[in-house]
């Protein structure tokens, strides 16, 4: 470790993270999946150390310090860097077309799912909750359709993971956010229907929640519910 005020691993990777942050969990899972040694520095998001502004002026996690001292921020950027720097882990497909299909799948969640988790929690208006829930479920139907189409491709191998029959980049990018369905169920009673429109999604969700790459970094439900209580607006 350096003798300066900023903690980091000399000649190694240092990941500035927070175990409850779904964005940071992307980076944690990427490093674990790639089998790359690294140091984790836990950042208290409610009491960030003064030195952290020198690492990431935006004060967000994750941030990655590479062995040459370069700082990378933004969770998908960090996860893709790990996947591309260590291709032997096979986290990203070699085909440009398959990478594009993967990014389209991730985008469904980034634009049509993730924001609506917080919008459902963040309003006490029943009509607003219903509207946001309909948008979220529409995204899950689209995701289910994409999963079914992917599983019919050779790389999909019939599921239940996005590709190659194992936890990969799609899961690294998405599972922490999909897991927040437990939070909206707890606080708003929102459940994913057990119908054919959602069948592939439910199969995928059931598979990844049993995988060690999910469970190792997944907080208990009590901890998760407590952490997300601050986002809940009640009457």
């Amino acid at each position: 470790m350096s003798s300066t005020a900023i903690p980091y691993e000399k000649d190694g990777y240092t990941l500035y993270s927070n175990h409850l942050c779904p964005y940071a969990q992307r980076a944690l899972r990427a490093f674990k999946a790639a089998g790359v040694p690294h140091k984790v520095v836990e950042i208290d998001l409610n009491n960030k150390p003064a030195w952290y502004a020198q690492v990431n002026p935006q004060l967000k996690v994750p941030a990655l310090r590479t062995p040459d001292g370069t700082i990378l921020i933004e969770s998908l950027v960090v996860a893709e860097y790990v996947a591309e720097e260590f291709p032997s882990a096979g986290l990203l497909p070699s085909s440009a077309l398959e990478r594009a299909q993967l990014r389209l799948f991730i985008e469904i969640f980034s634009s049509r799912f993730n924001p609506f988790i917080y919008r459902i929690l963040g309003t006490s208006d029943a009509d607003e909750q219903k509207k946001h829930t309909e948008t979220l479920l529409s995204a899950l139907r689209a995701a289910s359709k994409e999963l079914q189409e992917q599983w019919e491709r050779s790389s999909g191998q019939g599921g239940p993971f996005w590709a190659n029959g194992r936890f990969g980049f799609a899961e690294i990018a998405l599972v922490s956010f999909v897991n927040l369905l437990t939070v909206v169920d707890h606080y708003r009673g929102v459940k994913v229907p057990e119908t054919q429109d959602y069948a592939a999604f439910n199969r995928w969700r059931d598979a990844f929640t049993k995988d060690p790459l999910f469970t190792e970094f997944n907080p208990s439900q009590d901890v998760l519910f407590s952490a997300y209580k601050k986002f809940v607006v009640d009457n």
Side-chain angles (χ1 to χ4, degrees):
M1 181 180 291
S2 169
S3 60
T4 66
I6 301 175
Y8 68 87
E9 190 69 22
K10 183 176 174 60
D11 300 323
Y13 289 98
T14 305
L15 182 63
Y16 302 91
S17 181
N18 179 278
H19 68 288
L20 289 176
C21 175
Y23 295 95
Q25 288 167 10
R26 283 173 163 168
L28 289 166
R29 289 190 171 100
F31 269 99
K32 182 72 175 184
V36 179
H38 60 289
K39 175 183 179 62
V40 176
V41 176
E42 182 79 1
I43 302 297
D44 183 347
L45 298 180
N46 295 315
N47 185 26
K48 302 179 183 77
W51 54 260
Y52 192 56
Q54 299 176 61
V55 175
N56 183 1
Q58 298 181 33
L59 297 176
K60 298 189 298 185
V61 292
L64 175 66
R65 188 185 193 277
T66 67
D68 69 359
T70 300
I71 299 292
L72 299 176
I73 61 173
E74 299 298 336
S75 60
L76 278 177
V77 171
V78 172
E80 283 201 21
Y81 166 80
V82 174
E84 291 176 353
E85 185 72 2
F86 301 96
S88 62
L91 298 179
L92 283 172
S94 58
S95 158
L97 178 60
E98 289 181 3
R99 290 195 301 274
Q101 289 164 336
L102 168 61
R103 291 185 177 111
L104 285 171
F105 181 60
I106 293 170
E107 177 58 24
I108 291 173
F109 290 88
S110 297
S111 62
R112 298 165 56 188
F113 176 87
N114 299 356
F116 291 91
I117 291 284
Y118 297 94
R119 292 178 192 177
I120 292 167
L121 297 176
T123 181
S124 60
D125 184 274
D127 290 337
E128 286 294 301
Q129 288 180 21
K130 181 179 179 181
K131 180 180 72 173
H132 297 324
T133 298
E134 288 172 351
T135 301
L136 182 143
L137 291 177
S138 173
L140 295 186
R141 290 193 298 273
S144 198
K145 182 175 182 290
E146 287 295 322
L147 280 164
Q148 191 58 53
E149 290 177 358
Q150 165 64 11
W151 292 342
E152 293 169 3
R153 302 174 188 131
S154 60
S155 63
Q157 296 186 6
F161 297 95
W162 174 260
N164 304 318
R166 65 185 179 92
F167 198 108
F169 196 85
E171 289 74 30
I172 287 167
L174 298 174
V175 298
S176 295
F177 297 94
V178 174
N179 189 49
L180 297 181
L181 285 167
T182 62
V183 176
V184 292
D185 183 8
H186 177 73
Y187 285 111
R188 301 298 194 218
V190 174
K191 300 182 185 298
V192 181
E194 294 287 339
T195 62
Q196 188 59 36
D197 283 346
Y198 302 89
F201 170 80
N202 287 328
R203 181 186 176 209
W204 176 62
R205 183 185 181 192
D206 182 64
F208 76 63
T209 54
K210 297 172 182 175
D211 192 278
L213 278 168
F214 174 79
T215 58
E216 179 171 346
F217 301 102
N218 186 46
S220 71
Q221 284 198 342
D222 287 346
V223 169
L224 193 65
F225 296 161
S226 177
Y228 277 81
K229 182 70 171 69
K230 64 185 178 183
F231 296 107
V232 178
V233 174
D234 292 319
N235 290 325

